[in-house]
Each structure stands twice: as C-alpha cells, then as structure tokens.
Amino acid sequence: MSSIRKLIMLVDDSLTNLMVGKEVLSDIYSVITIPSAIKMFELLMRYTPELILLDVDMPEMNGYEAIEILKNNPKMKNIPVIFLTGMGDSVSELRGLELGAVDYITKPFSPALLKKRVELHTLIEAQKKALQDYNENLQQIVLNKAQTILKLQNKVLQAMAELVEGRDNFTGNHVERTQICLEVLLSAMNETGIYREQTIGWDINLLLQSSQLHDVGKIAIHDNILKKPGKLTEEEFEEMKKHVAYGVNFIEKLEESEEDSIFLKYAKIFINYHHERWDGFGYPNNLEGTNIPLLGRLMTIVDVYEALVSERCYKQAIDHQAAVNIILQGRETIFDPILTDLFEQCSEQLFLSMSLNAKNEQNQYLSIRK
C-alpha cells in the first residue's frame, strides 16, 4: 500500500509558474495550484497543507500581507511558508523571513532546486512533528511515572498508618475512614464557602494523604497502653498523650531534608493539633478557639466521630446518629462551633460515605475468605 502523499499548496498569479511547479513536484507530492492569496485562504478552510509555496508579488493581496494573516491565525500559523519571488534583493528576503517565512526561492526557479528545497523543509517539518510527538509521549510517560510513585507513596503511608492503628486488631481502616470523613467536610466547606480565606491554596490531595499520619506517633506507645481493654490510668493517659510529640518529632526529622514540603507541613499540623479543644482543655498545647489551626480543628471532629462509630478494644461502636449527637454536644467546648454546624449539615452524606466504605470492606473480606 502506498503512503499518503504530503499536500503542497502552490500560490502564484502566473499560470506558467503554477504549471511548472506542479509538474516538478507532483511525482512526489499532492499539489494544489492556487491563483491568488484570497483563494488560498478559502481552501485553507478545508485543507491543511504540509507546506505553502507563496508568491510575493500578486495583485489584490501580496505574499507579505498573506503571511501576516497566516501567522496571526492559530489554526494556520504553524504551516511553513516558502516565498517565491522575482526580487533578488536582501531587503525583500529579510522582510519575508521576519514575517515568518522559512525560506526563499527566486524565480524563475530551477526545477531541481525547487524540489530539493521542498524536500528539505517537508523533512524538517516531519522531524519537528516527530520530536513534538516524542516530547508529548515523554511528558505522558513522566506523568504516569509520577502518578505511579504518588500512588505507591500513598500506599506506603497508608500501610504505615494502619500498622500503627491496627496493632490492637480493632482499629483497622481507621486511617481510610478518617480520610473519607475529612473529604466530606472539605467538600462541604468548599460548597458553602466556610473559612474560604484560609482554605484558598490548599492542595486537597496532598492534604488528604498527609492526614494519614495524624496518629503516627502511636508507633512509640507501648502495647500495654495502646491495647489496654479498659480505661487508662492517669499515668497511662499521660504516656498516651506523648504520641503527639513523637509524631511531631518524626515529621521534623523528615523536614531536615525536605524543608519546603507542603505534605509534611500538613502532616505536622494534623499531628500536633488534632487533640486540642475549642475551650482550651485539650493537649499538648492547651490552645483555645481559632488559635488552633483550622486543619487541627477539622481533624478533631473527624477523629472523634470515627472513633465513636468504630469498635475498639476498650469499647463497642455506637450508631451514626448517636455519634452525631455527641459531636453536637461538644459544640463550643471540644469543637469549633462553625465546623460543628457544618458537620451536622453534611452528616447524612457522611453516613452514606461511611456506609459505602463499610460495604466495600465487607466485600473485600468475603472475597479474601473465598
């Protein structure tokens, strides 16, 4: 099967030049002969040539005027133009090159020279397109690789966080569920405009990923405390509270080599502030009200809600509405009142998202059992 011929437009008001040019080129290319620049533009609405051979000196619209229109049209500006001219002065050539022509051929043209110039510039265009395709493919390959790495990083983070939370065999998938809750609240904040001035510029994907590390400091808490089925003593609770400092220390070690990481910045906020209370009786900093960073106030609600509706080694799960009522009772004491009201507004969506996640978990469990 023969390859598709490249299309060349030959524009000249001289019938002789059109006939000679077509005879020279038509054994290799598909050639459209055009008697004027105005007619050329009509045909460019239907065809996109590989190259335009454009006469300079034509009535109605000369070649300089025509190339200016071509180069100002986004759909036509990349079509290479070779000027055909009887003018042999360097000033005319320079003007054409400045307007965007890729070459000049002086008339009357040598058939061999015409063929060689057209061959050269069609080859250059083919190489440019091949390079552009390669670059686009390379960019896509890099993008795919970057996405794969990000997915892997996310999986590693999730596995590490689940390792911390799953040591008692009751809190598995806590990290995933807190992410779901957080995403629902963030979506509701975006829709309602709550705290918009503080949320502008947030990278939601990085933010959700970093939230997985909010309890990473528990890796340093002894199993006797972390797995204790009953209420912690005051001394044990003080030790448990240290997981915040352990987590912050973990992030700060990573920051030594990644000082400008937004991911680590988000993670550090989640870790350091998700046990603070609106009334100032939280830990470890006893911050009050809006002195607590917004991400910390969000995670406080998410973390408590998820803990309430989930089974733990020291408690049974309670139903969604009971958990919502407890959150509402903590308005202006434990929780930011504005975020608490938002939580109430989107609690139905939260329940649906959590229920869907629970169903997916059950299906995965059954598939593994099979």
Side-chain angles (χ1 to χ4, degrees):
M1 182 182 291
S2 60
S3 59
I4 299 175
R5 291 185 169 208
K6 293 182 171 69
L7 177 63
I8 307 295
M9 282 188 177
L10 175 57
V11 188
D12 199 310
D13 63 326
S14 167
L15 181 59
T16 300
N17 289 337
L18 293 178
M19 291 176 62
V20 173
K22 184 168 185 176
E23 183 177 352
V24 171
L25 299 172
S26 59
D27 61 332
I28 301 175
Y29 307 100
S30 294
V31 182
I32 299 177
T33 56
I34 307 170
S36 71
I38 293 174
K39 183 66 175 176
M40 175 191 72
F41 284 111
E42 293 177 6
L43 291 171
L44 282 171
M45 301 299 291
R46 296 160 52 195
Y47 305 102
T48 301
E50 196 76 19
L51 181 71
I52 297 175
L53 296 168
L54 182 62
D55 186 21
V56 172
D57 189 16
M58 292 185 292
E60 297 182 338
M61 182 186 295
N62 64 39
Y64 297 137
E65 294 168 331
I67 196 172
E68 284 189 287
I69 296 173
L70 279 169
K71 296 305 175 183
N72 285 315
N73 187 314
K75 294 182 179 180
M76 305 175 186
K77 66 179 182 179
N78 293 322
I79 303 171
V81 175
I82 296 178
F83 272 137
L84 306 174
T85 180
M87 297 177 272
D89 63 287
S90 59
V91 174
S92 298
E93 291 186 10
L94 180 60
R95 182 184 176 192
L97 294 172
E98 287 175 343
L99 290 172
V102 296
D103 207 347
Y104 256 93
I105 298 177
T106 304
K107 296 189 295 186
F109 43 74
S110 159
L113 179 61
L114 175 64
K115 182 178 287 188
K116 183 56 67 176
R117 290 283 181 84
V118 170
E119 180 184 342
L120 172 64
H121 286 288
T122 53
L123 177 61
I124 290 173
E125 286 305 305
Q127 291 174 338
K128 283 169 61 179
K129 288 180 179 178
L131 182 60
Q132 183 178 358
D133 290 342
Y134 173 79
N135 286 336
E136 290 176 356
N137 290 335
L138 184 60
Q139 289 175 5
Q140 189 60 49
I141 290 171
V142 171
L143 180 61
N144 290 342
K145 287 288 186 183
Q147 290 175 340
T148 300
I149 291 171
L150 284 174
K151 287 180 181 178
L152 178 59
Q153 288 176 340
N154 196 32
K155 287 293 184 183
V156 171
L157 288 171
Q158 185 174 353
M160 182 172 66
E162 291 289 2
L163 178 64
V164 175
E165 291 293 341
R167 282 159 60 194
D168 55 11
N169 297 323
F170 279 92
T171 57
N173 294 322
H174 164 74
V175 170
E176 184 178 352
R177 290 194 296 267
T178 54
Q179 277 187 300
I180 291 169
C181 297
L182 187 60
E183 188 171 10
V184 170
L185 280 180
L186 287 170
S187 178
M189 288 177 70
N190 182 58
E191 291 175 4
T192 59
I194 289 175
Y195 290 124
R196 187 177 301 279
E197 70 283 355
Q198 296 183 48
T199 60
I200 291 174
W202 280 5
D203 186 324
I204 301 302
N205 288 330
L206 276 182
L207 192 152
L208 289 171
Q209 288 182 32
S210 66
S211 71
Q212 298 176 101
L213 296 178
H214 69 280
D215 270 340
V216 70
K218 285 184 178 178
I219 197 73
I221 302 299
H222 197 279
D223 281 356
N224 289 342
I225 295 175
L226 197 63
K227 294 183 177 184
K228 185 175 180 179
K231 184 178 179 180
L232 298 179
T233 65
E234 184 175 340
E235 184 180 62
E236 289 169 336
F237 183 59
E238 288 301 315
E239 184 62 29
M240 175 67 86
K241 287 161 63 174
K242 292 180 182 178
H243 79 276
V244 172
Y246 295 146
V248 169
N249 184 57
F250 171 73
I251 296 298
E252 287 178 344
K253 287 185 180 298
L254 295 178
E255 285 180 326
E256 291 175 3
S257 58
E258 295 290 342
E259 293 181 1
D260 296 326
S261 171
I262 297 297
F263 174 85
L264 295 179
K265 176 184 174 183
Y266 289 151
K268 190 174 179 179
I269 294 172
F270 281 129
I271 293 168
N272 203 17
Y273 300 104
H274 75 284
H275 285 296
E276 299 290 346
R277 289 173 49 129
W278 185 258
D279 58 11
F281 288 95
Y283 68 89
N285 304 297
N286 303 116
L287 297 180
E288 183 178 353
T290 56
N291 290 324
I292 306 167
L294 180 55
L295 287 180
R297 283 149 36 211
L298 275 165
M299 182 53 79
T300 300
I301 293 178
V302 166
D303 200 40
V304 171
Y305 170 77
E306 194 285 327
L308 290 170
V309 298
S310 301
E311 186 176 0
R312 294 288 190 266
C313 60
Y314 52 85
K315 61 173 279 294
Q316 295 296 313
I318 64 174
D319 65 46
H320 165 75
Q321 191 54 55
V324 171
N325 292 338
I326 291 174
I327 297 292
L328 297 182
Q329 290 169 15
R331 186 182 188 276
E332 293 189 295
T333 54
I334 303 174
F335 309 114
D336 178 333
I338 294 177
L339 294 180
T340 305
D341 293 341
L342 181 70
F343 171 84
E344 183 179 19
Q345 292 171 22
C346 62
S347 61
E348 183 176 346
Q349 177 59 47
L350 192 63
F351 174 71
L352 293 173
S353 297
M354 292 288 278
S355 297
L356 179 61
N357 178 71
K359 184 176 181 180
N360 290 337
E361 287 180 13
Q362 185 179 26
N363 290 338
Q364 289 174 9
Y365 173 76
L366 292 175
S367 65
I368 292 172
R369 294 280 291 182
K370 290 179 180 178

